[in-house]
Every structure is written in structure tokens, then in C-alpha cells.
């Protein structure tokens, strides 16, 4: 993919060794797949002790060792300079909690970044791209105020915790049923494949109103949209498949909206339509476009949160024991602490809409900013003993779900589903343990996602 450049016109960023960095998706920051098999990003079950302080030397954020265990390097980067211009990444790396909060509040920091992704499409696929990128332009995450506020408000009530809470009994039943089938006590399994991926998909499809028979096509289209938005599509054929999948998803959801207008059900689409705003403050086309975003985002963050929370508990047995002694009080706190300690998202990417000053640094219009929440969530200026996993920390002031106008609208959904899985596991699986060996992490600037988590149930 073409890199969205700042302060330069060259096509690839220079590394510290003058070798070209992998190409970066301008929407998400994810690198393109390498030509050969990627070097595995691994981490052992127990984190290595922190190395002695040394002079700061910048490293590429997708270096396999940094990708596998980023926190030592992110700590050193934040300590060196919480607002650091990286020629290597062609972006400002914002790692301090206070500085990142400033960016999340600042009108000069823009979330609009669809056009650069359009520019990256191969010429041969351009004729398929106009409608697909029109759909992406209606995603609220790619809009600034006042458009963002107008689009978001039609979903606000349905995504509130009190509304999500209506599905608690269903989520708990689905969690227990899936674990009963896939996680037999004493059996060896993969927590990612057994529960973390399929459960959020099942729950979200049910909530959205997708019939079970349509699930395979629905989730196939979502996966291909992910290839586009997360930068995995590289060849013209892959682009065409991803672009067509986004169009297919939009067509499917538009038809589902028409069905729910005629015959409302107990689902998200029917509830929003009943609010009376679709066709008034927000057009039906915009509504359907936003539903494609919800469909894409409905499972990934929650899946990664489940896995990372369970991993943190199993790697800290004293914390797991505390949660088992008082699950009612400590399961929700464990989920929040997992979001802070090793959450499902490492950063978000923004651009400067105009020149502004950030902590004494002159940020110029069109500069990219990497808002590294994984570093801000371990800032000692904000959190005591930030590298410790402590389920009694009692603070939800982490930035794992963002902050302000772009605070994750699906936070209550993610908390509900992840909390249900952790609750059942700590109550009903006393023998749950990690299997030895290394863990492989997906190579991504944005996501913090294990490819598998082998366990004994």
C-alpha cells in the first residue's frame, strides 16, 4: 500500500539501518504482508524482567520482538519523549497520557482518513472502488464533528449500558453453551478458536438481527472488508474481492433494513428505526453505511479483549486467585485492568487538520499522529505501578476504549461479552492453565491480537 506521507514525498520510510520499512496502510497503520513468510512475533508465557536503563534508540514498531512484547520499548520511548517525531514511521508518536488526552480533545486532530486509502487502490481496481469508499466515508470513525456527532447520536441509546444489559441473560447462556461444547474440562484446546472468536460473532449477529442461516456469507464479507481496512489486501484481485465484499455487505444490510421497516423484530436495526431519526437527521443510506462499520467492528475488539484478559489472569495466578474468591466484584475490574494493562488496541491514527502546538512541538497540517494508547495506559504520571497487573486497581480511566467524542460506542458490548466469558471460566474451570511455549501475535501497529492461546481446560 502507498504510505500517507508527512513532511516528505518519498514512498517508503527509512529505518534506523537505512533499510525500507514495510508499507503502511494510511487508514489503520497496519503494514502490508511481507513477500515471504513473516517472522513470528513471539512472547513466552512469563514476561522477561525489565532491562536496565540504556540510551534511547528508536526501533520499528513492527519489529517482531517489539510487536510480541511492546511495553518495555514503549516505556523507554515515552520516558525519552512523550511526543516524538519519528522519521522511521513518518508520524508523531504520542505516548504520554496527558499529551494523548490533549490530542483526543483537540479539534485540530482529525479522524478523517478515507481518501488516502482510496489513493492506494491499484489502477485496475479503481472502477470498483468509488461505491465502496463512499460506504467507508459514512463510517462514523472516519468523520469529525459535526458529522461524527450527527451520525453517532442515532445509535447512542441502543449502545448505552442499560440497553446492552437487556442481552445479559442471552450472552451468559450462549457463553456457557459454547464452552460446554468446546471446552471440556481436562481437554487441551485453543481459547481463541474455541470461544474468543465465535462467541462475539454469534452474539453480535443475533443483536444486529442477521438470521443464523445467513451467518457464513455475512462473516465472509466482514473478513474481506477487514482485509481492505486493515491493509491485508495488496494485489488487484484481493482489492476487487474486498471492495465487492463491502458492496455486498452494504446491499445485504440495506435489504435487512427494508425487512425490519416492514416487520420489526427484537434487534438493533428495528430499535434504531423505531427511534424515528432515520430518514430525518440521518439518511437511510448513511444508516446502512454505519451498519457495515458495526458489522465489521462487532467482533474483533471483543475477541482480543477476551483472550488478553484470560492470558493476563493465567500469567498472574495470585490475581486469578483473587478473582476466583470474589468473582462478582472482581471480574468487571479484571476486564477493565486487562484493557489498561494489555488491551486489544495499541494505538489509533489521526491526522493534523491544521498546524498546532503539542507539548511544545510544532505539528503541521497533514502530519500523521500515532496515538499510542498502550503506552499512555502505562504512564507512571497517571497510574501507580503501571507495569503491574492489579485487578483491584479500581480505575476505569484507561484509554483502552478511547476518550471523548470518539470513545468506543461498543464499549458496553465488549465489557458484557468479555465479562461473561471470564466469569464462567473463573467460576467453572478451576483447572484452567496455560500450556507451555511461545505465543504468536498478529503483526499489526493497531491491534494487540494473539493468533492462538493453547490452554488446558
Amino acid at each position: 500500500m502507498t504510505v500517507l506521507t508527512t513532511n516528505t514525498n518519498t514512498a517508503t520510510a527509512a529505518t534506523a539501518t537505512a533499510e525500507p520499512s514495510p508499507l503502511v496502510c494510511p487508514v489503520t497503520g497496519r503494514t502490508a504482508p511481507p513477500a515471504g513468510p513473516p517472522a513470528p512475533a513471539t512472547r513466552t508465557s512469563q514476561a522477561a524482567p525489565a532491562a536496565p536503563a540504556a540510551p534511547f534508540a528508536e526501533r520499528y514498531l513492527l519489529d517482531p520482538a517489539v510487536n510480541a512484547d511492546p511495553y518495555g520499548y514503549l516505556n523507554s520511548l515515552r520516558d525519552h519523549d512523550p511526543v516524538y517525531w519519528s522519521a522511521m514511521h513518518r508520524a508523531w508518536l504520542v505516548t504520554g497520557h496527558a499529551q494523548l488526552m490533549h490530542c483526543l480533545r483537540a479539534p485540530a486532530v482529525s479522524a478523517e482518513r478515507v481518501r488516502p486509502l482510496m489513493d492506494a487502490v491499484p489502477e485496475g481496481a479503481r472502477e470498483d472502488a468509488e461505491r465502496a469508499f463512499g460506504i467507508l466515508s459514512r463510517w462514523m470513525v472516519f468523520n469529525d464533528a459535526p458529522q461524527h456527532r450527527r451520525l453517532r447520536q442515532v445509535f447512542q441509546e441502543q449502545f448505552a449500558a442499560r440497553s446492552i444489559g437487556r442481552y445479559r441473560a442471552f450472552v451468559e447462556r450462549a457463553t456457557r453453551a459454547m464452552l460446554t461444547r468446546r471446552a471440556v474440562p481436562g481437554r487441551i484446546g485453543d481459547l481463541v478458536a474455541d470461544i474468543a472468536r465465535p462467541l462475539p460473532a454469534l452474539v453480535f449477529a443475533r443483536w444486529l438481527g442477521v438470521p443464523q442461516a445467513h451467518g457464513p456469507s455475512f462473516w465472509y464479507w466482514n473478513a474481506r472488508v477487514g482485509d481492505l481496512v486493515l491493509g491485508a489486501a495488496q494485489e488487484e484481485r484481493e482489492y476487487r474481492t474486498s471492495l465487492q465484499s463491502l458492496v455486498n455487505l452494504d446491499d445485504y444490510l440495506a435489504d435487512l433494513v427494508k425487512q425490519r421497516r416492514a416487520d420489526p423484530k427484537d434487534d438493533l436495526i428495528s430499535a434504531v428505526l423505531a427511534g424515528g431519526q432515520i430518514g430525518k437527521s440521518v439518511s437511510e443510506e448513511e444508516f446502512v453505511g454505519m451498519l457495515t462499520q458495526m458489522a465489521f467492528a462487532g467482533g474483533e475488539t471483543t475477541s482480543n479483549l477476551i483472550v488478553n484478559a484470560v492470558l493476563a489472569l493465567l500469567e498472574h495466578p495470585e490475581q486469578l486467585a483473587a478473582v476466583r474468591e470474589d468473582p462478582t466484584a472482581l471480574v468487571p475490574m479484571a476486564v477493565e485492568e486487562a484493557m489498561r494493562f494489555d488491551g486489544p488496541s495499541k494505538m489509533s491514527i489521526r491526522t493534523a487538520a491544521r498546524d498546532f502546538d503539542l507539548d511544545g512541538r510544532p505539528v503541521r497540517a497533514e502530519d500523521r499522529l500515532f496515538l499510542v494508547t498502550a503506552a499512555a495506559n502505562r504512564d507512571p504520571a497517571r497510574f501507580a505501578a503501571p507495569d503491574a497487573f492489579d485487578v483491584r486497581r479500581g480505575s476505569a480511566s484507561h484509554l483502552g476504549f478511547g476518550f471523548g467524542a470518539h470513545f468506543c460506542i461498543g464499549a458496553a458490548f465488549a465489557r458484557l461479552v468479555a465479562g461473561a466469558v471470564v466469569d464462567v471460566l473463573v467460576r467453572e474451570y478451576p483447572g484452567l492453565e496455560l500450556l507451555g511455549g511461545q505465543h504468536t501475535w498478529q503483526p499489526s501497529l493497531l491491534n494487540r491480537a494473539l493468533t492462538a492461546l493453547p490452554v488446558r481446560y
Side-chain angles (χ1 to χ4, degrees):
M1 272 192 168
T2 303
V3 179
L4 174 60
T5 60
T6 58
N7 299 344
T8 179
N9 292 319
T10 56
T12 57
T15 68
T17 58
E19 295 178 355
S21 298
L23 298 178
V24 177
C25 172
V27 170
T28 66
R30 183 169 178 171
T31 58
T42 59
R43 189 182 83 177
T44 57
S45 293
Q46 296 295 331
F56 176 76
E58 185 179 3
R59 299 176 66 182
Y60 183 52
L61 291 173
L62 280 179
D63 174 281
V66 175
N67 187 67
D69 192 0
Y71 297 102
Y73 173 67
L74 292 179
N75 286 347
S76 66
L77 172 61
R78 185 191 57 245
D79 293 345
H80 172 71
D81 189 347
V83 180
Y84 177 80
W85 171 255
S86 170
M88 184 182 297
H89 297 88
R90 291 211 196 95
W92 293 97
L93 308 184
V94 184
T95 53
H97 189 280
Q99 294 83 358
L100 201 148
M101 287 281 283
H102 177 83
C103 289
L104 292 173
R105 293 184 174 113
V109 178
S110 173
E112 200 289 312
R113 54 202 185 278
V114 171
R115 176 50 53 181
L117 185 57
M118 177 68 175
D119 293 341
V121 174
E123 284 296 330
R126 289 290 177 92
E127 63 187 66
D128 298 336
E130 285 296 335
R131 182 181 166 195
F133 282 92
I135 296 167
L136 286 182
S137 71
R138 295 189 280 276
W139 287 20
M140 69 180 76
V141 294
F142 295 147
N143 279 273
D144 297 321
Q147 286 288 91
H148 175 267
R149 187 182 308 113
R150 180 180 64 83
L151 295 171
R152 183 182 175 112
Q153 53 89 25
V154 302
F155 288 100
Q156 201 73 44
E157 181 178 347
Q158 299 308 318
F159 276 86
R162 63 182 179 277
S163 297
I164 297 292
R166 295 177 51 236
Y167 292 88
R168 181 174 301 278
F170 168 73
V171 170
E172 291 172 349
R173 288 196 306 271
T175 301
R176 188 165 280 104
M178 191 170 287
L179 282 168
T180 298
R181 292 195 309 270
R182 299 175 179 227
V184 178
R187 169 182 171 266
I188 290 173
D190 170 17
L191 193 81
V192 175
D194 291 341
I195 189 73
R197 281 185 184 150
L199 180 69
L202 170 71
V203 172
F204 191 80
R206 162 66 180 82
W207 184 34
L208 190 61
V210 175
Q212 188 172 356
H214 299 170
S217 295
F218 181 77
W219 291 113
Y220 170 80
W221 293 328
N222 272 280
R224 300 293 73 78
V225 172
D227 293 342
L228 175 69
V229 176
L230 295 176
Q234 293 296 303
E235 302 298 328
E236 182 178 318
R237 175 183 55 80
E238 295 170 332
Y239 268 103
R240 287 186 182 275
T241 298
S242 291
L243 293 166
Q244 187 58 53
S245 292
L246 180 54
V247 169
N248 289 345
L249 183 63
D250 191 73
D251 286 341
Y252 174 80
L253 289 167
D255 185 64
L256 197 59
V257 169
K258 290 178 183 177
Q259 292 178 40
R260 293 299 179 264
R261 278 198 182 279
D263 183 18
K265 305 289 186 184
D266 180 19
D267 57 32
L268 173 64
I269 291 175
S270 300
V272 175
L273 289 173
Q277 298 184 65
I278 306 306
K280 296 180 181 177
S281 62
V282 169
S283 71
E284 188 153 319
E285 184 181 44
E286 288 174 320
F287 177 47
V288 173
M290 287 190 291
L291 288 173
T292 67
Q293 177 198 328
M294 302 297 177
F296 164 70
E300 184 173 6
T301 297
T302 306
S303 296
N304 296 340
L305 175 56
I306 290 168
V307 176
N308 294 5
V310 173
L311 175 62
L313 286 167
L314 293 176
E315 288 189 330
H316 297 83
E318 75 290 350
Q319 298 297 312
L320 176 57
V323 176
R324 281 183 166 141
E325 288 178 7
D326 189 5
T328 301
L330 292 185
V331 163
M333 293 172 69
V335 170
E336 293 302 321
E337 176 66 348
M339 283 295 302
R340 184 203 68 83
F341 178 76
D342 194 12
S345 174
K346 291 184 286 190
M347 71 170 73
S348 59
I349 295 179
R350 298 289 190 270
T351 57
R354 58 180 180 271
D355 294 357
F356 72 102
D357 179 90
L358 177 58
D359 205 36
R361 310 302 196 278
V363 179
R364 303 305 182 199
E366 299 188 11
D367 280 1
R368 282 194 307 174
L369 298 104
F370 287 4
L371 307 186
V372 191
T373 49
N377 280 336
R378 294 201 184 194
D379 189 340
R382 181 64 185 84
F383 301 98
D387 292 321
F389 178 70
D390 181 2
V391 298
R392 292 189 174 91
R393 187 176 295 274
S395 171
S397 61
H398 60 77
L399 298 173
F401 288 118
F403 178 83
H406 282 274
F407 182 82
C408 177
I409 197 170
F413 174 84
R415 285 166 168 150
L416 173 62
V417 179
V421 175
V422 172
D423 190 75
V424 174
L425 288 174
V426 300
R427 290 178 189 267
E428 300 179 17
Y429 289 81
L432 184 67
E433 63 178 352
L434 285 175
L435 296 185
Q438 295 177 323
H439 297 138
T440 302
W441 298 83
Q442 294 177 8
S444 172
L445 287 178
L446 271 66
N447 296 337
R448 180 77 172 145
L450 276 172
T451 59
L453 185 62
V455 296
R456 186 185 303 278
Y457 293 109

